[in-house]
Amino acid sequence: MKNSMKVALSLVIITVLFTALPALAIAAEQVTTLRVWTGLAFDNGLPEFVEAFEAENPGIKVEHTRYMNDDAGNTKLETALLAGEPIDVYFSYGVPRLAKRAEAGLARDLTPFLKQDGLSVEEMVGTDAFYGLDGKIHGIPAVIEPTVIMANEDAFIEAGIPVPTEWTIDEFREVAKKLTKQIGTKTRYGVYGDVDLARMGLGVNYWYKEDGTSNFDHPLFRQTWQLAYDMMFKDKSRFPHSEVLARNLRVYPQDLLINEEVAMMVGGTWMVSLFSQLDRYPRDWRIVFLPLPVPERGKSYFNPGTKGQHIVMSSKSQNEEAAWKFMKYWLTHFSDYRGRIPSWKDADRNKAISLLLSGRSGEDPEKLYDVESFHRVVFDPSMKVSYDTITTAAAMIAQIVQEETDIFYTGGQTIDQLVRTIKRRADAAIRRAR
Amino acid sequence: MISGIGGLRYVGLQNYRDLPLDVWFTDSLKNNLVYTLVVIPTSLIISLFVALVLNDKIFAPKPVRTMFFIPYIANIVAVSAVWMALYHPKYGPINAFLRTIGIDNPPEWLASTTWALPAIMIMNIWGGLGYNSVIYLAGLQTIPKELYEAAEIDGVNGWTRLRHVTLPMLTPTIFFLLITGIIGSFQLFGQVNIMTQGGPGRATTVLAYYMYVSGFRYFQMGYAASIAWVLFGIVFIVTLFQWRGQKRWTEYL
Amino acid sequence: MGFLNYHPSRLTKSFLKKGFLTIFMYAVGIVMLLPFIWMISSSLKYEVDVFKFPIEWIPRRFNAVANYTAVWAGRYPFGMFYLNSIKVLVLRVTSDLVTSALAAYGFARLRFKGRDVIFLLYLGSMMIPHQMLFIPRFVMFRWLGIYNTLWAVALPGMFTAFGVFLLRQYFITIPFELSEAARIDGANEFQIFSRVIVPLAKPALASLAILTSVWSWNDYQGPLIMLSDIKLYTIPLGLTTYMDEHGTQQVSLIMAAATSAILPMLLIFLAAQKHFVRGIATAGLKG
């Protein structure tokens, strides 16, 4: 065969191969396939949940994709949504991101679906949550995530400190210092995580002032940042920020508690479901729960936690009915498969809590946790979770705060510069967004 | 622009006017300039010496050339993964080594606002040595032996020969490396996206990275495009300068 | 060479100097490779041994099997990424070779109006920082409906100005008498191309093939922007996913994954160094 023929033939073969193969795959699709993107770490509970859903809804198949809940992963999700990928349902973590996606038209308004089923989010979840822009419902929070402190009980026992049921910031600092110690070549720091005094004091829409500028000149912000800085550099009792950056710990820091690199962890209750997996997180001590320390005893504060993990229907979804079915099923039943505190009224909260505490392997909760403290702290009847109704330039502001505090916590600027810069840039971002 | 061609809104030059006010942009530009000004000269000078040595001053140069070249063919993700581990402030071998030779507080590399960009610079100088050396070598081999022999007869040796014979003959190669080097350095993206995401703070954000972020994270395609044009403009101007310079300064036999 | 150089002690001195430099350069060469040696060594270790200092270059206890199985048979099957990378590579290399060869023939052996101007335009296009093209490509590919397919990754590499440039430089050096002779024998342009030029240009084609292969294999930003379905990921993206999953908690696994990612290119390079180096050198010289 002549050379040129060979070349032409091979080109044709290659082209045919690459175009025909996918076509064959598409021909096989008979059922409705729902594509769901979640940021859930590790599969536990998800496959079983999907099976149960598919069993109840023959004719709907669910394909779930996991995306990493950090900047890069979220950008991936957004690029895919932007490009019109066939994603039907996705999860959005944090109000700024949801607001950004709603603004970009990537989330469908769920109001008609709710109306059709005679449901109202205020009733099913509550009025203290963010749902969407301009009165629309762009996402429904699936869980309640109060911020609590989870601590190594043995650390307290060893240091001879009784576990407090409430405490001030100063007492908190003292305890953190006492719990910091060297174990072999490793350091166990007293605490990991932020105590967001500003959010605690201001609660709703704490980034914004009445006049439309940003609120970062409020003294509580300065206090929050200064506290973090002092605990890292003066007390040396807080896990250093440089290591958070070097080890990429911003999204999943929970290992630190189990590895005994910190004695206390400020975090959300979602970590508890991971901690209950003893095979992944082996330990022989109990986790005890403490409330966040407060500036002044006796005053009432917000909890920086929120109702979150919004489930969102993509605006480009072609399978709305199936997607809505899935979403309702998730809100009601997912907590049966994986421990969390559901926000949906119809979900079985008690079942969820027992799953949360005993894990899928059915451990005895009392062995893993100080259960009494769990109930007392997490379900404190006086707790008010924070929420936002204003979201102007929220995503940009979140990025600005993260960046500037990064610089501050690695010694790149002073507290005055930090406050000034954040205020200036946030104001500019808000102005540009108008 | 997200809504497709139909949704284009004409904002005129507004994007370009916003650029200098945008601290991400100015920092990206600054980082790019610092990076280029440090990496390119260093790289070119070290590679030149490597090439000179490999050319005729050692036995069996080929394996050495291979060893130098391997970093170039390794993919950027793998290389970033390795260096991220090496640069780990607490446990990484680089700092462990520095501590053994008496430096008590070794830099925190990728987690430090001062050292993050240098960390990437070091990585890329390392990575580019092989490529540059190979090109120099090829250039060196085009220098006619007669020139060297003539120099020998005239009693010219060592440094003088370098300055007056070798270097002038290498100018085309040097210019080529300069141009491609500068164009390449302004395209820095992979390591930033994988290792530091522009941080800590804004210590390592570069134009290509900011372009990606503003386009795909903040959905500001138009703005991202204007950054692209600035990038192009810079590269174009630099190339233009070099083109002119090349015409004037290189010698062709 | 003058007789001066045969003076005995001069000879030994220069021999010694050369020997010393040789040892020195080999040492430097090894230092250059240290990151990779560390990578391979870590991929064979238990996680806890990875950061031990002084570094255990040869692991005392081996966990290689477990590590590599975890990478290849674990959650994100590396084999899938390999397959995708190979698909893209084959597509890009074959298409690039064919189209560049044809175009280079035109630029090198044929005469037509505006030939050199167009060639200069080709050259100019190589100067465009490729990031500039990502956004327009994204919009275009989305509109064409090939976003999130391997085509979006392969297409930009299937027709390259660099290939045309490299081959044209080489084709020019082939004596015109040969084409003339073939023409006299009655061959048409295409036959001259396929029967005379291509066989003679095998070295240049080999160089181009290898260069394109390496660039295709290592392409990161392209797939990053164009692919969102993990089943389509190529090696660089697959590796980042792997890194994300396991963060800094499992360095040994990540090193095993990184080694697996680099290995094919390493082998190809070692086997075909000659072509590779020549390809780059040609580009450098004629640039």
Side-chain angles (χ1 to χ4, degrees), chain B:
Chain B
M1 205 181 187
I2 324 161
S3 23
I5 312 283
L8 271 178
R9 257 184 20 236
Y10 187 69
V11 290
L13 293 171
Q14 181 59 36
N15 280 334
Y16 291 98
R17 259 176 276 154
D18 280 338
L19 285 179
L21 301 172
D22 181 354
V23 67
W24 269 308
F25 176 76
T26 46
D27 272 4
S28 301
L29 189 56
K30 180 182 70 149
N31 287 338
N32 265 125
L33 290 175
V34 169
Y35 177 87
T36 307
L37 288 175
V38 171
V39 170
I40 303 292
T42 318
S43 221
L44 289 192
I45 295 179
I46 300 184
S47 319
L48 178 59
F49 280 104
V50 170
L52 285 173
V53 171
L54 287 184
N55 192 24
D56 57 4
K57 295 200 175 33
I58 70 170
F59 301 111
K62 289 247 171 72
V64 180
R65 188 196 61 187
T66 309
M67 290 197 271
F68 271 78
F69 204 79
I70 289 186
Y72 181 74
I73 54 141
N75 85 60
I76 205 169
V77 181
V79 169
S80 301
V82 180
W83 281 87
M84 261 168 74
L86 294 179
Y87 273 137
H88 192 286
K90 257 231 172 113
Y91 307 124
I94 293 185
N95 275 4
F97 173 71
L98 289 178
R99 277 187 217 113
T100 48
I101 62 173
I103 302 180
D104 280 327
N105 259 337
E108 297 187 312
W109 301 116
L110 300 173
S112 145
T113 41
T114 20
W115 286 96
L117 194 59
I120 297 186
M121 295 199 274
I122 294 176
M123 202 177 122
N124 285 340
I125 295 179
W126 165 85
L129 272 187
Y131 176 80
N132 292 342
S133 308
V134 162
I135 302 219
Y136 272 128
L137 272 174
L140 283 174
Q141 273 152 18
T142 61
I143 300 180
K145 292 266 186 293
E146 298 89 49
L147 275 182
Y148 284 145
E149 286 170 15
E152 188 113 26
I153 294 178
D154 282 347
V156 173
N157 262 315
W159 286 108
T160 342
R161 185 179 82 176
L162 182 65
R163 260 180 47 216
H164 292 281
V165 180
T166 323
L167 278 184
M169 291 305 294
L170 270 185
T171 33
T173 317
I174 298 182
F175 269 103
F176 172 75
L177 285 176
L178 258 180
I179 296 190
T180 46
I182 294 187
I183 296 183
S185 73
F186 273 95
Q187 292 176 358
L188 178 65
F189 172 79
Q191 291 97 320
V192 174
N193 195 32
I194 298 176
M195 301 202 291
T196 58
Q197 290 93 50
R202 284 180 304 280
T204 54
T205 171
V206 288
L207 288 174
Y209 179 72
Y210 186 37
M211 200 166 35
Y212 172 70
V213 164
S214 61
F216 295 96
R217 190 174 302 163
Y218 297 115
F219 305 141
Q220 294 168 347
M221 296 277 169
Y223 197 64
S226 47
I227 299 176
W229 279 106
V230 171
L231 188 62
F232 178 68
I234 296 178
V235 167
F236 188 70
I237 294 179
V238 167
T239 313
L240 216 57
F241 263 112
Q242 294 192 265
W243 207 253
R244 296 284 168 77
Q246 183 171 17
K247 290 238 152 71
R248 275 198 302 152
W249 295 336
T250 59
E251 330 213 345
Y252 284 100
L253 274 183

Side-chain angles (χ1 to χ4, degrees), chain C residues 16-32:
Chain C
L16 278 177
K17 195 167 103 169
K18 214 169 176 186
F20 173 72
L21 268 179
T22 310
I23 298 180
F24 178 69
M25 287 309 281
Y26 270 85
V28 173
I30 296 188
V31 169
M32 287 286 288

Side-chain angles (χ1 to χ4, degrees), chain C residues 94-156:
Chain C
T94 41
S95 162
D96 195 17
L97 279 181
V98 171
T99 57
S100 298
L102 289 170
Y105 184 77
F107 284 120
R109 317 292 287 185
L110 300 176
R111 303 195 148 276
F112 52 91
K113 207 147 159 236
R115 179 188 76 171
D116 288 327
V117 173
I118 300 185
F119 186 62
L120 230 61
L121 277 178
Y122 259 76
L123 278 190
S125 78
M126 287 207 292
M127 306 246 193
I128 301 181
H130 59 90
Q131 273 97 358
M132 280 204 71
L133 304 172
F134 277 125
I135 297 198
R137 258 193 216 141
F138 173 74
V139 176
M140 235 172 44
F141 286 177
R142 193 167 65 126
W143 180 69
L144 282 174
I146 57 173
Y147 171 83
N148 202 29
T149 63
L150 285 180
W151 284 103
V153 176
L155 223 45

Side-chain angles (χ1 to χ4, degrees), chain A residues 2-4 7 11 14 18-19 37 43 63 66 68 70 76 79-80 82-83 85 246-247 249 255, chain C residues 75 87 90-91 94 98 138 142 147-148 151 190 194-195 224-225 227-228 231 233 244-245 248-249:
Chain A
K2 296 213 307 216
N3 255 346
S4 46
V7 166
L11 265 184
I14 293 177
F18 281 112
T19 37
W37 280 48
D43 271 341
E63 239 179 55
R66 188 216 159 181
M68 183 80 174
D70 60 4
K76 263 234 148 292
T79 314
L82 206 59
E85 277 300 288
R247 292 165 62 172
L249 290 170
D255 283 24
Chain C
R75 231 163 151 247
K87 278 194 208 160
V90 165
L91 206 54
T94 41
V98 171
F138 173 74
R142 193 167 65 126
Y147 171 83
N148 202 29
W151 284 103
F190 194 68
S194 53
R195 300 271 179 91
L224 176 71
I225 296 189
L227 297 178
S228 63
K231 294 199 276 286
Y233 279 6
D244 283 342
E245 272 294 299
T248 40
Q249 330 292 10

